[in-house]
């Protein structure tokens, strides 16, 4: 992996800062009762979101989870439109009807999240398979949490991605808890990369708070996928 230039470090740090400021303001207004519906912020995931955003192209697809507001604007959607959406305003990206969980923007290939945990892992396969059939080197990146590993869609998607050699980047953000349940209480595998390896998918585990480690792991994963070698799984702890 080539060294990261000082300018790239600054760009990554700047985007981490943007995510932190956005989420901090959003959380503050939610506590004031100004943000309708439920809200899950991505505080603490800034290095991961910046690493993913800086490793993808505009034509690549993202399937964000419920803590990915930062990834939405890092991918190219104006932050004001995302914030307006979260406040239920008609000027929002989905005219205020999507909120935190259902915001999508096809102009930057953001295919959106939904309230059914893990279901978008399946949708990401369809997009990836379509691009593969068209001979494109685009990547379908899907962000999931550790709690999703308890869903059937998790295993079905890993299996089919491996069988089809689909160009999917599995971004697993493992913060240790599925709401209030520790990972070790609900899964036989303490390290979630072991699930991916069981489906013969290249998988690595990195410190999600280490910007250098997160960025380099994501870069290597995307390079693997663009080379036509199939899916890749990164667990950011």
């Amino acid at each position: 992996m080539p060294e990261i230039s000082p300018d790239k470090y600054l760009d990554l740090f700047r985007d981490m800062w943007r995510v932190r400021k956005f989420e901090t303001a959003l959380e503050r207004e939610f506590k004031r009762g100004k943000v309708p519906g439920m809200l899950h912020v991505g505080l603490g995931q800034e290095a991961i979101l910046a690493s993913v955003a800086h490793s993808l192209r505009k034509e690549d697809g993202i399937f964000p989870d419920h803590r990915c507001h930062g990834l939405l604007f890092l991918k190219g959607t104006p932050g004001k439109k995302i914030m307006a959406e979260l406040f239920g305003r008609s000027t929002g990206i989905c005219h205020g009807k999507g909120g935190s969980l259902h915001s999508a923007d096809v102009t930057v290939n953001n295919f959106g999240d939904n309230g059914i945990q893990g279901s978008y892992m399946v949708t990401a396969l369809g997009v990836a398979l379509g691009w593969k059939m068209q001979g494109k080197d685009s990547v379908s990146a899907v962000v999931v949490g550790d709690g999703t590993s308890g869903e059937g869609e998790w295993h079905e998607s890993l299996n089919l991605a491996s069988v089809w050699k689909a160009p999917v980047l599995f971004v697993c953000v493992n913060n240790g808890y599925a709401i209030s349940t520790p990972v070790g209480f609900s899964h036989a595998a303490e390290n979630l990369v072991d699930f991916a390896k069981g489906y013969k998918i290249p998988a690595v585990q990195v410190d999600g708070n280490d910007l250098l480690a997160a960025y380099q792991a994501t870069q290597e994963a995307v390079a693997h996928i663009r080379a036509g070698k199939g899916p890749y799984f990164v667990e950011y702890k």
Side-chain angles (χ1 to χ4, degrees):
M1 172 63 63
E3 291 187 9
I4 302 177
S5 69
D7 287 341
K8 174 55 71 174
Y9 264 126
L10 285 172
D11 286 342
L12 286 163
F13 179 79
R14 185 179 295 110
D15 282 342
M16 288 175 61
W17 181 85
R18 289 173 62 201
V19 174
R20 173 59 65 95
K21 294 293 287 184
F22 186 96
E23 295 287 60
T24 300
L26 188 58
E27 184 178 52
R28 180 190 67 230
E29 298 307 311
F30 178 75
K31 290 178 178 178
R32 292 175 176 174
K34 296 182 179 181
V35 180
M38 182 49 69
L39 179 71
H40 304 272
V41 294
L43 295 172
Q45 297 181 189
E46 295 87 354
I48 300 168
L49 300 181
S51 296
V52 171
H54 280 258
S55 298
L56 299 177
R57 304 170 183 165
K58 183 177 180 179
E59 59 267 26
D60 293 326
I62 59 168
F63 290 82
D65 76 349
H66 50 290
R67 298 185 187 276
C68 280
H69 309 121
L71 183 57
L72 304 187
F73 63 75
L74 293 183
K75 190 69 166 61
T77 301
K80 288 184 178 180
K81 293 193 69 174
I82 298 168
M83 189 66 84
E85 180 65 32
L86 294 168
F87 276 77
R89 304 298 295 273
S90 62
T91 52
I93 188 172
C94 294
H95 307 292
K97 299 178 180 180
S100 179
L101 285 176
H102 301 87
S103 294
D105 184 359
V106 295
T107 65
V108 295
N109 279 341
N110 165 21
F111 294 98
D113 183 15
N114 65 70
I116 309 301
Q117 188 74 3
S119 64
Y120 48 93
M121 292 181 71
V122 180
T123 317
L125 287 177
V127 171
L129 184 60
W131 282 335
K132 181 178 180 180
M133 294 173 70
Q134 295 169 21
K136 297 180 179 180
D137 68 348
S138 298
V139 175
S140 180
V142 55
V143 184
V144 293
D146 50 280
T148 309
S149 60
E151 299 289 332
E153 292 91 343
W154 167 285
H155 298 277
E156 294 164 356
S157 300
L158 291 177
N159 181 59
L160 277 180
S162 181
V163 170
W164 291 342
K165 293 192 179 301
V168 179
L169 171 62
F170 292 101
V171 178
C172 178
V173 185
N174 183 356
N175 63 13
Y177 289 88
I179 304 179
S180 57
T181 304
V183 174
F185 281 26
S186 55
H187 303 296
E190 179 179 353
N191 298 308
L192 301 182
V193 291
D194 292 339
F195 284 132
K197 292 176 181 177
Y199 291 106
K200 297 186 178 180
I201 295 177
V204 296
Q205 183 187 84
V206 296
D207 181 352
N209 289 317
D210 184 329
L211 177 60
L212 177 60
Y215 179 67
Q216 288 185 330
T218 312
Q219 286 277 298
E220 291 172 4
V222 170
H224 170 95
I225 297 168
R226 291 204 199 282
K229 298 179 180 178
Y232 206 103
F233 184 102
V234 183
E235 179 185 6
Y236 306 82
K237 297 201 78 169

